[in-house]
Amino acid sequence: MKINFTQEWLKKQTQTLIMRTVFLLFCSTVFSFTSIDVISQNAEIKIKKEITVTVDQIFDIIQAQTDYTFIYRSDMFRGLPPVHLNEGVIKANRLLLYAIPKRYYSFELFKDNTIVIEKRPTSRKVEIRGQIVDVNNEPLADVNVIVADLNLGTFTNNKGEFSMELPHKNFKITISLLGFKTVEFDLRTQQDLSNINITLKEDLLGLDEVVVVAKKTISREGSSTYKIGSQAIKQVQAMNLSDVLSLLPGNKIEQSNLTTKKQANIRSAVTSNSNSFGTAVILDGAAISTDANMQARNSSTLDGGKSVVGGGVDLRSITLANVESVEVIAGVASPKYGNLSSGGILVKSKVGKSPYIVSTNVTSTNYQASVAKGYELNDFGVLNTDLSYAYSSGSPTERKLFYQSFNLGLRWKLPVFKGLKWNHFTSFRVGHSDDGNRHEPEEVFKNDADVKSTSYQLTLSGDFSSSVLGKINYNFSGNVVNQHSFYDTYIINGPFPIIESLDSGTYNTTYSPSAFNQIRDIEGKPININGRIDASQNASFRNLDFNFETGLQYSFDDNTGNGRVATGNIVHTQDVAGSRSATFEKIPASKTFSAYHQTIIKRTGEASKQQLNLGLRYDYMLERYNLVSPRMSFSSKHNDFTAKVAWGVSYKAPAMIQLYPGKSYIDYINFQYYAENPDERLAVVTTYVYQPTNEHLNPNYSDLKEVGFDWAPSFMNFNFTYFKKEMRRGINTTDELLLLPKAVYEVVSAPTGEQPTVAPTGEVNNIPRTVKVMNNNYYESTDGLEVTLSPQKIKATNTQFNFRYSYLESVVTDKGFDINKSNYVVGDNSVRYGVYENSLIKAVRSFGTLTLIQHIPALRFVLTLSAELNFKESSKYIGASLYPFAYYDVSGNYIDIPLEDRANAEFSDLKKDENSFTTTATPFYSNFNLQIRKESKQGHSFSFYANNAPWNNPTYEFLGSRRKLNNKISVGFNVTLLIK
């Protein structure tokens, strides 16, 4: 027998195999089917002789020997082939299986043993066609039409027309266009799918419904996501991405200040680089990588100064001049998103024709201006442009701190081949920032810093349809950043011995002046290349819809910068390990190859809906780690109630500076001779070069579980989520003790006008020094719950309330240990180093926000008054001890201290200060923020905000001093003009 394996046949068979496998897991506990098994398995049929019969004759045989009666259309089985029966006894249900392919027929058993047989309806794809217009009945081009359940989408043509092919009509389509209110349209309500007419209204305050808060959703991007639309972004007068995150449960509206770096902290009661580093920021499908950032002033401590090193994306760099929406993944992320351990932030830029949008934001310390425009290019698509500038100073009365940024963005949507329904996007962005502190004339000590960064990003993305693979999505991006960090410190408490050695050894040197400049230059050039391509297919079986998404991803991070250079006099840093020059381009690049798959199964009934997401991601990180990340979520909706559960594992690769921090230099003085005559001055110094090898570092591991429910009756919308997030193997620094030999020198001769001649005495002492070593020691476990409540709007006054609440309890520890020098007198040779256990820190944060939203459509006016309720904010140590469990003596010997002896007087010099472990807790306090926005009929917008509007600054006592709980009042203004 010859079988023809066509591509279409292979596609169908592959889909069927996957569908059946997942179908059994999903449906065995949720759904039941009526089949041939309605006939009792004890019913036996006797075949008297070998015969060949039709299906109708088989029914006659069963009816003659049992009390079953069959009812069906007379022509239902006319096309089925005859069945050959052997002599013997056979079960009745087995006999029917021989004759009837049950996947095409359904059986229903009634009490009188009557069996009604019907033919199952065959699935047939439906084509929908429609037109989208504005309120003036003018066609709208480039409208995005999406079926989220199937991961399908298209755009309207110049006539506002669109067409899509779907498995059936039981779907909702989402229609969105820049400047217009997004509409969700239910196809089930339409009789004629070939002529759908939809009218979009401009997204202005004159509409009845305006959403100015973060909306909790369940999407294919993650199990718990918060969608923040353009109206909400306008209402908070967001200057950058950091301001938008204040709309999430548990987040405060912070006083606007651009002179400090801004990093994301999702679902944690503590702020740490591990949390921020594990949060992915994805701009138009391209992940922004900081893995190759090497701008550390001191590589041994990862002190980045004004740069974000070994941490997350600086959110100040993401401006919102041309951003349509922000989606925050707080729960389990889709497997398409990798190299993260603490959620993701998806930023979507605007696409579509628009007038000139000129906007300005002004506060007491910040100034921002932007202009954006969407050009309709007819057959050549749409071009969106944006230009923004921001400037900030530390305070209204001083210019010491400053920050300024410039951003240019171009996004071009081009339909490549209309026949293939291929949509392509080209995005190009240029960003420049300048962050630092100036020297003020009245300052005694000069401390200048200027950290400049210029980034260039090119992204090519799009989608097209394939008859074999379904919908193909791709995203390829490249990013280059020119970084220059300049630090100039004027030192006046010299002189110090000059130490410039790059190798271990003992050297003769002289002294610096009493006052001199110390300059450090760091030139980096991080490069990131990221590519992702995936294929999505859809299938339907009865009331089940299947979506399969499979993809490949590759990322490359490198730094080709000149490196770290120190100029001027490098002087003795005493006990601190310092940095010298380093070349970044010699550091190996970081590479990650990934593959992922996600199957989404949806069942839709009359009053219920279930969705199961099963995902798996494989990462080959840094060419050494093979990592598998399973992720799943399930939700079941019945009428107004939805229950949900999710679990997922994710990983975050170490940054390049964590893997290759560079050498640490430990300098100490063996001999000093400082004379009035500079020619006679001499110092003998020793440099020890410590080269860490961090190949032992592993990727950060995160495990997230969550369960919750949504209740949406007619009078309210209530969301509740409990989660547990464990972050293990976070990277931080641990002290390591080194014992370095210090030779004692004596003067042999001291001629006038020359440096003295010195020689070692033969006496050598051990000098203990500590260095910072990176390990996977950071651990954090957070239990938390999130609640959002939105009662029905009061229609008489158009007033709405929104309440969001977050309770977070985080337990954090460093699984390493701490080393501290004992209390000693200079010259005392009994100095020793205590070794202490790091305690657990338990942080609790209970925070809610109650928002009143007063919207007056007739006046195009909206007011929001937010009451921030700080119920509890505390931090305490668990298992903390002031006493060491061991110590190193002056010779470097490690000596354990028995538990019962640790508090003895002989170890009093090793006891930590009594205030080393203090419990902090703030009382309940509130803060009120006011936001007002007014629009004109032409669409111009004027807004005002006042944080801490009543200027209420309650205080509490901590360690004998009074501390304020609120910041001072801060106000801001925004003016947005639409120039058509």
Side-chain angles (χ1 to χ4, degrees), residues 632-667:
M632 65 81 63
S633 64
F634 175 74
S635 65
S636 180
K637 179 181 179 182
H638 184 73
N639 292 328
D640 300 325
F641 186 84
T642 303
K644 55 190 178 180
V645 62
W647 169 73
V649 170
S650 57
Y651 297 89
K652 173 62 183 174
M656 287 176 57
I657 197 168
Q658 293 171 334
L659 290 171
Y660 311 102
K663 299 175 181 179
S664 297
Y665 296 83
I666 302 174
D667 307 309

mmCIF file of all heavy atoms in Angstrom, residues 632-667:
data_model
loop_
_atom_site.group_PDB
_atom_site.id
_atom_site.type_symbol
_atom_site.label_atom_id
_atom_site.label_comp_id
_atom_site.label_asym_id
_atom_site.label_seq_id
_atom_site.Cartn_x
_atom_site.Cartn_y
_atom_site.Cartn_z
ATOM 1 N N MET A 632 3.060 26.900 33.866
ATOM 2 C CA MET A 632 1.673 26.548 33.584
ATOM 3 C C MET A 632 0.728 27.469 34.339
ATOM 4 O O MET A 632 1.086 28.040 35.366
ATOM 5 C CB MET A 632 1.388 25.089 33.946
ATOM 6 C CG MET A 632 1.493 24.744 35.438
ATOM 7 S SD MET A 632 0.040 25.160 36.450
ATOM 8 C CE MET A 632 -1.163 24.108 35.710
ATOM 9 N N SER A 633 -0.473 27.588 33.797
ATOM 10 C CA SER A 633 -1.537 28.326 34.475
ATOM 11 C C SER A 633 -2.870 27.767 34.016
ATOM 12 O O SER A 633 -2.999 27.254 32.901
ATOM 13 C CB SER A 633 -1.457 29.831 34.173
ATOM 14 O OG SER A 633 -1.662 30.088 32.799
ATOM 15 N N PHE A 634 -3.859 27.858 34.897
ATOM 16 C CA PHE A 634 -5.196 27.370 34.588
ATOM 17 C C PHE A 634 -6.202 28.324 35.205
ATOM 18 O O PHE A 634 -6.041 28.777 36.344
ATOM 19 C CB PHE A 634 -5.407 25.964 35.151
ATOM 20 C CG PHE A 634 -6.820 25.453 34.968
ATOM 21 C CD1 PHE A 634 -7.262 25.046 33.719
ATOM 22 C CD2 PHE A 634 -7.704 25.418 36.030
ATOM 23 C CE1 PHE A 634 -8.552 24.593 33.536
ATOM 24 C CE2 PHE A 634 -9.003 24.969 35.868
ATOM 25 C CZ PHE A 634 -9.432 24.550 34.607
ATOM 26 N N SER A 635 -7.229 28.646 34.440
ATOM 27 C CA SER A 635 -8.309 29.482 34.948
ATOM 28 C C SER A 635 -9.638 28.896 34.503
ATOM 29 O O SER A 635 -9.744 28.327 33.405
ATOM 30 C CB SER A 635 -8.178 30.927 34.447
ATOM 31 O OG SER A 635 -8.328 30.999 33.047
ATOM 32 N N SER A 636 -10.611 29.026 35.362
ATOM 33 C CA SER A 636 -11.948 28.523 35.070
ATOM 34 C C SER A 636 -12.961 29.587 35.479
ATOM 35 O O SER A 636 -12.989 30.021 36.629
ATOM 36 C CB SER A 636 -12.213 27.221 35.826
ATOM 37 O OG SER A 636 -13.514 26.728 35.553
ATOM 38 N N LYS A 637 -13.778 29.971 34.511
ATOM 39 C CA LYS A 637 -14.777 31.011 34.745
ATOM 40 C C LYS A 637 -16.166 30.406 34.657
ATOM 41 O O LYS A 637 -16.479 29.662 33.728
ATOM 42 C CB LYS A 637 -14.634 32.128 33.717
ATOM 43 C CG LYS A 637 -15.653 33.240 33.870
ATOM 44 C CD LYS A 637 -15.480 34.312 32.811
ATOM 45 C CE LYS A 637 -16.529 35.409 32.980
ATOM 46 N NZ LYS A 637 -16.415 36.452 31.939
ATOM 47 N N HIS A 638 -16.982 30.721 35.646
ATOM 48 C CA HIS A 638 -18.383 30.309 35.627
ATOM 49 C C HIS A 638 -19.227 31.522 35.992
ATOM 50 O O HIS A 638 -19.124 32.057 37.099
ATOM 51 C CB HIS A 638 -18.638 29.172 36.616
ATOM 52 C CG HIS A 638 -20.036 28.651 36.571
ATOM 53 N ND1 HIS A 638 -20.505 27.884 35.529
ATOM 54 C CD2 HIS A 638 -21.082 28.810 37.421
ATOM 55 C CE1 HIS A 638 -21.762 27.568 35.733
ATOM 56 N NE2 HIS A 638 -22.141 28.129 36.890
ATOM 57 N N ASN A 639 -20.003 31.970 35.031
ATOM 58 C CA ASN A 639 -20.780 33.197 35.196
ATOM 59 C C ASN A 639 -19.861 34.359 35.558
ATOM 60 O O ASN A 639 -18.996 34.718 34.782
ATOM 61 C CB ASN A 639 -21.894 33.001 36.218
ATOM 62 C CG ASN A 639 -22.962 32.041 35.714
ATOM 63 O OD1 ASN A 639 -23.230 31.977 34.515
ATOM 64 N ND2 ASN A 639 -23.577 31.298 36.622
ATOM 65 N N ASP A 640 -19.995 34.889 36.764
ATOM 66 C CA ASP A 640 -19.203 36.065 37.147
ATOM 67 C C ASP A 640 -17.962 35.718 37.961
ATOM 68 O O ASP A 640 -17.247 36.622 38.397
ATOM 69 C CB ASP A 640 -20.071 37.035 37.972
ATOM 70 C CG ASP A 640 -21.271 37.524 37.202
ATOM 71 O OD1 ASP A 640 -21.146 37.706 35.981
ATOM 72 O OD2 ASP A 640 -22.337 37.709 37.829
ATOM 73 N N PHE A 641 -17.721 34.439 38.185
ATOM 74 C CA PHE A 641 -16.640 34.033 39.077
ATOM 75 C C PHE A 641 -15.552 33.310 38.279
ATOM 76 O O PHE A 641 -15.836 32.418 37.486
ATOM 77 C CB PHE A 641 -17.172 33.114 40.182
ATOM 78 C CG PHE A 641 -16.155 32.771 41.228
ATOM 79 C CD1 PHE A 641 -15.916 33.617 42.298
ATOM 80 C CD2 PHE A 641 -15.418 31.593 41.137
ATOM 81 C CE1 PHE A 641 -14.983 33.311 43.265
ATOM 82 C CE2 PHE A 641 -14.484 31.275 42.093
ATOM 83 C CZ PHE A 641 -14.262 32.139 43.168
ATOM 84 N N THR A 642 -14.297 33.707 38.504
ATOM 85 C CA THR A 642 -13.153 33.089 37.831
ATOM 86 C C THR A 642 -12.126 32.667 38.859
ATOM 87 O O THR A 642 -11.691 33.490 39.680
ATOM 88 C CB THR A 642 -12.493 34.055 36.827
ATOM 89 O OG1 THR A 642 -13.460 34.486 35.876
ATOM 90 C CG2 THR A 642 -11.339 33.378 36.097
ATOM 91 N N ALA A 643 -11.747 31.400 38.849
ATOM 92 C CA ALA A 643 -10.673 30.890 39.707
ATOM 93 C C ALA A 643 -9.441 30.650 38.849
ATOM 94 O O ALA A 643 -9.543 30.283 37.674
ATOM 95 C CB ALA A 643 -11.099 29.608 40.403
ATOM 96 N N LYS A 644 -8.272 30.823 39.453
ATOM 97 C CA LYS A 644 -7.038 30.700 38.670
ATOM 98 C C LYS A 644 -5.910 30.184 39.548
ATOM 99 O O LYS A 644 -5.877 30.415 40.761
ATOM 100 C CB LYS A 644 -6.649 32.056 38.074
ATOM 101 C CG LYS A 644 -6.519 33.160 39.112
ATOM 102 C CD LYS A 644 -6.369 34.526 38.491
ATOM 103 C CE LYS A 644 -6.281 35.597 39.570
ATOM 104 N NZ LYS A 644 -6.138 36.950 39.020
ATOM 105 N N VAL A 645 -4.980 29.490 38.915
ATOM 106 C CA VAL A 645 -3.802 28.969 39.597
ATOM 107 C C VAL A 645 -2.659 28.959 38.589
ATOM 108 O O VAL A 645 -2.883 28.779 37.380
ATOM 109 C CB VAL A 645 -4.061 27.551 40.159
ATOM 110 C CG1 VAL A 645 -4.369 26.566 39.035
ATOM 111 C CG2 VAL A 645 -2.887 27.062 40.986
ATOM 112 N N ALA A 646 -1.432 29.182 39.071
ATOM 113 C CA ALA A 646 -0.282 29.236 38.163
ATOM 114 C C ALA A 646 0.977 28.829 38.911
ATOM 115 O O ALA A 646 1.078 28.979 40.136
ATOM 116 C CB ALA A 646 -0.114 30.632 37.562
ATOM 117 N N TRP A 647 1.924 28.312 38.156
ATOM 118 C CA TRP A 647 3.241 27.956 38.707
ATOM 119 C C TRP A 647 4.265 28.048 37.582
ATOM 120 O O TRP A 647 3.978 27.715 36.429
ATOM 121 C CB TRP A 647 3.226 26.539 39.277
ATOM 122 C CG TRP A 647 4.604 26.031 39.615
ATOM 123 C CD1 TRP A 647 5.404 26.395 40.648
ATOM 124 C CD2 TRP A 647 5.364 25.058 38.870
ATOM 125 N NE1 TRP A 647 6.593 25.731 40.612
ATOM 126 C CE2 TRP A 647 6.605 24.893 39.539
ATOM 127 C CE3 TRP A 647 5.113 24.314 37.718
ATOM 128 C CZ2 TRP A 647 7.593 24.020 39.074
ATOM 129 C CZ3 TRP A 647 6.094 23.443 37.252
ATOM 130 C CH2 TRP A 647 7.313 23.296 37.938
ATOM 131 N N GLY A 648 5.457 28.515 37.944
ATOM 132 C CA GLY A 648 6.489 28.626 36.927
ATOM 133 C C GLY A 648 7.871 28.793 37.515
ATOM 134 O O GLY A 648 8.050 29.274 38.640
ATOM 135 N N VAL A 649 8.858 28.393 36.745
ATOM 136 C CA VAL A 649 10.276 28.499 37.103
ATOM 137 C C VAL A 649 10.956 29.361 36.051
ATOM 138 O O VAL A 649 10.623 29.291 34.858
ATOM 139 C CB VAL A 649 10.928 27.105 37.161
ATOM 140 C CG1 VAL A 649 12.438 27.208 37.279
ATOM 141 C CG2 VAL A 649 10.358 26.305 38.322
ATOM 142 N N SER A 650 11.898 30.190 36.466
ATOM 143 C CA SER A 650 12.633 31.023 35.520
ATOM 144 C C SER A 650 14.053 31.243 36.018
ATOM 145 O O SER A 650 14.359 31.025 37.197
ATOM 146 C CB SER A 650 11.928 32.367 35.310
ATOM 147 O OG SER A 650 11.767 33.045 36.541
ATOM 148 N N TYR A 651 14.918 31.673 35.125
ATOM 149 C CA TYR A 651 16.342 31.867 35.421
ATOM 150 C C TYR A 651 16.808 33.210 34.872
ATOM 151 O O TYR A 651 16.295 33.713 33.874
ATOM 152 C CB TYR A 651 17.189 30.764 34.792
ATOM 153 C CG TYR A 651 16.913 29.382 35.315
ATOM 154 C CD1 TYR A 651 15.940 28.575 34.720
ATOM 155 C CD2 TYR A 651 17.607 28.874 36.400
ATOM 156 C CE1 TYR A 651 15.685 27.298 35.193
ATOM 157 C CE2 TYR A 651 17.364 27.597 36.880
ATOM 158 C CZ TYR A 651 16.396 26.817 36.271
ATOM 159 O OH TYR A 651 16.146 25.552 36.746
ATOM 160 N N LYS A 652 17.813 33.774 35.555
ATOM 161 C CA LYS A 652 18.466 34.994 35.100
ATOM 162 C C LYS A 652 19.965 34.781 35.099
ATOM 163 O O LYS A 652 20.560 34.416 36.118
ATOM 164 C CB LYS A 652 18.101 36.163 36.020
ATOM 165 C CG LYS A 652 18.867 37.462 35.736
ATOM 166 C CD LYS A 652 18.580 37.986 34.348
ATOM 167 C CE LYS A 652 19.401 39.238 34.056
ATOM 168 N NZ LYS A 652 19.251 39.703 32.668
ATOM 169 N N ALA A 653 20.596 34.988 33.950
ATOM 170 C CA ALA A 653 22.031 34.742 33.815
ATOM 171 C C ALA A 653 22.846 35.803 34.545
ATOM 172 O O ALA A 653 22.415 36.959 34.665
ATOM 173 C CB ALA A 653 22.418 34.727 32.335
ATOM 174 N N PRO A 654 24.019 35.454 35.072
ATOM 175 C CA PRO A 654 24.894 36.468 35.687
ATOM 176 C C PRO A 654 25.321 37.508 34.662
ATOM 177 O O PRO A 654 25.437 37.232 33.464
ATOM 178 C CB PRO A 654 26.098 35.653 36.178
ATOM 179 C CG PRO A 654 25.631 34.233 36.221
ATOM 180 C CD PRO A 654 24.597 34.101 35.145
ATOM 181 N N ALA A 655 25.563 38.724 35.137
ATOM 182 C CA ALA A 655 26.067 39.779 34.261
ATOM 183 C C ALA A 655 27.543 39.554 33.983
ATOM 184 O O ALA A 655 28.243 38.850 34.712
ATOM 185 C CB ALA A 655 25.841 41.141 34.910
ATOM 186 N N MET A 656 28.020 40.173 32.922
ATOM 187 C CA MET A 656 29.423 40.012 32.557
ATOM 188 C C MET A 656 30.346 40.509 33.664
ATOM 189 O O MET A 656 31.380 39.901 33.941
ATOM 190 C CB MET A 656 29.709 40.758 31.254
ATOM 191 C CG MET A 656 29.133 40.083 30.013
ATOM 192 S SD MET A 656 29.397 41.060 28.503
ATOM 193 C CE MET A 656 31.176 41.227 28.498
ATOM 194 N N ILE A 657 29.977 41.598 34.338
ATOM 195 C CA ILE A 657 30.852 42.126 35.385
ATOM 196 C C ILE A 657 30.842 41.230 36.615
ATOM 197 O O ILE A 657 31.763 41.268 37.432
ATOM 198 C CB ILE A 657 30.443 43.567 35.750
ATOM 199 C CG1 ILE A 657 31.576 44.249 36.513
ATOM 200 C CG2 ILE A 657 29.136 43.592 36.538
ATOM 201 C CD1 ILE A 657 31.403 45.727 36.668
ATOM 202 N N GLN A 658 29.802 40.427 36.779
ATOM 203 C CA GLN A 658 29.795 39.465 37.879
ATOM 204 C C GLN A 658 30.666 38.258 37.547
ATOM 205 O O GLN A 658 31.344 37.716 38.416
ATOM 206 C CB GLN A 658 28.358 39.034 38.164
ATOM 207 C CG GLN A 658 27.495 40.156 38.717
ATOM 208 C CD GLN A 658 26.033 39.792 38.786
ATOM 209 O OE1 GLN A 658 25.548 38.947 38.047
ATOM 210 N NE2 GLN A 658 25.298 40.439 39.687
ATOM 211 N N LEU A 659 30.660 37.851 36.294
ATOM 212 C CA LEU A 659 31.508 36.724 35.889
ATOM 213 C C LEU A 659 32.972 37.129 35.760
ATOM 214 O O LEU A 659 33.867 36.361 36.091
ATOM 215 C CB LEU A 659 31.007 36.162 34.555
ATOM 216 C CG LEU A 659 29.668 35.417 34.589
ATOM 217 C CD1 LEU A 659 29.200 35.126 33.171
ATOM 218 C CD2 LEU A 659 29.779 34.136 35.383
ATOM 219 N N TYR A 660 33.218 38.347 35.279
ATOM 220 C CA TYR A 660 34.592 38.804 35.019
ATOM 221 C C TYR A 660 34.781 40.211 35.606
ATOM 222 O O TYR A 660 34.874 41.197 34.865
ATOM 223 C CB TYR A 660 34.870 38.817 33.514
ATOM 224 C CG TYR A 660 34.484 37.548 32.823
ATOM 225 C CD1 TYR A 660 33.305 37.466 32.093
ATOM 226 C CD2 TYR A 660 35.288 36.401 32.913
ATOM 227 C CE1 TYR A 660 32.939 36.285 31.457
ATOM 228 C CE2 TYR A 660 34.923 35.224 32.282
ATOM 229 C CZ TYR A 660 33.749 35.173 31.554
ATOM 230 O OH TYR A 660 33.387 34.010 30.927
ATOM 231 N N PRO A 661 34.809 40.337 36.936
ATOM 232 C CA PRO A 661 34.886 41.679 37.540
ATOM 233 C C PRO A 661 36.232 42.364 37.340
ATOM 234 O O PRO A 661 36.331 43.577 37.513
ATOM 235 C CB PRO A 661 34.631 41.408 39.015
ATOM 236 C CG PRO A 661 35.074 39.996 39.226
ATOM 237 C CD PRO A 661 34.748 39.279 37.957
ATOM 238 N N GLY A 662 37.252 41.624 37.019
ATOM 239 C CA GLY A 662 38.574 42.224 36.896
ATOM 240 C C GLY A 662 39.380 42.095 38.177
ATOM 241 O O GLY A 662 38.911 41.586 39.191
ATOM 242 N N LYS A 663 40.584 42.575 38.144
ATOM 243 C CA LYS A 663 41.503 42.420 39.267
ATOM 244 C C LYS A 663 41.184 43.420 40.383
ATOM 245 O O LYS A 663 40.734 44.526 40.128
ATOM 246 C CB LYS A 663 42.941 42.625 38.798
ATOM 247 C CG LYS A 663 43.399 41.634 37.745
ATOM 248 C CD LYS A 663 44.801 41.969 37.247
ATOM 249 C CE LYS A 663 45.253 40.982 36.181
ATOM 250 N NZ LYS A 663 46.604 41.312 35.664
ATOM 251 N N SER A 664 41.436 42.990 41.609
ATOM 252 C CA SER A 664 41.361 43.874 42.770
ATOM 253 C C SER A 664 42.779 44.106 43.283
ATOM 254 O O SER A 664 43.588 43.173 43.344
ATOM 255 C CB SER A 664 40.505 43.254 43.879
ATOM 256 O OG SER A 664 39.184 43.075 43.456
ATOM 257 N N TYR A 665 43.054 45.342 43.658
ATOM 258 C CA TYR A 665 44.399 45.729 44.080
ATOM 259 C C TYR A 665 44.378 46.113 45.549
ATOM 260 O O TYR A 665 43.640 47.009 45.961
ATOM 261 C CB TYR A 665 44.898 46.895 43.236
ATOM 262 C CG TYR A 665 45.065 46.544 41.774
ATOM 263 C CD1 TYR A 665 43.978 46.577 40.904
ATOM 264 C CD2 TYR A 665 46.298 46.156 41.269
ATOM 265 C CE1 TYR A 665 44.119 46.248 39.570
ATOM 266 C CE2 TYR A 665 46.459 45.829 39.931
ATOM 267 C CZ TYR A 665 45.361 45.873 39.082
ATOM 268 O OH TYR A 665 45.511 45.538 37.764
ATOM 269 N N ILE A 666 45.209 45.419 46.331
ATOM 270 C CA ILE A 666 45.321 45.693 47.765
ATOM 271 C C ILE A 666 46.722 46.256 48.011
ATOM 272 O O ILE A 666 47.727 45.601 47.718
ATOM 273 C CB ILE A 666 45.103 44.421 48.592
ATOM 274 C CG1 ILE A 666 43.723 43.834 48.274
ATOM 275 C CG2 ILE A 666 45.230 44.716 50.076
ATOM 276 C CD1 ILE A 666 43.476 42.506 48.925
ATOM 277 N N ASP A 667 46.759 47.470 48.500
ATOM 278 C CA ASP A 667 48.020 48.168 48.715
ATOM 279 C C ASP A 667 48.247 48.396 50.207
ATOM 280 O O ASP A 667 47.302 48.715 50.929
ATOM 281 C CB ASP A 667 48.009 49.530 48.002
ATOM 282 C CG ASP A 667 47.635 49.399 46.523
ATOM 283 O OD1 ASP A 667 48.253 48.572 45.843
ATOM 284 O OD2 ASP A 667 46.728 50.136 46.087
#
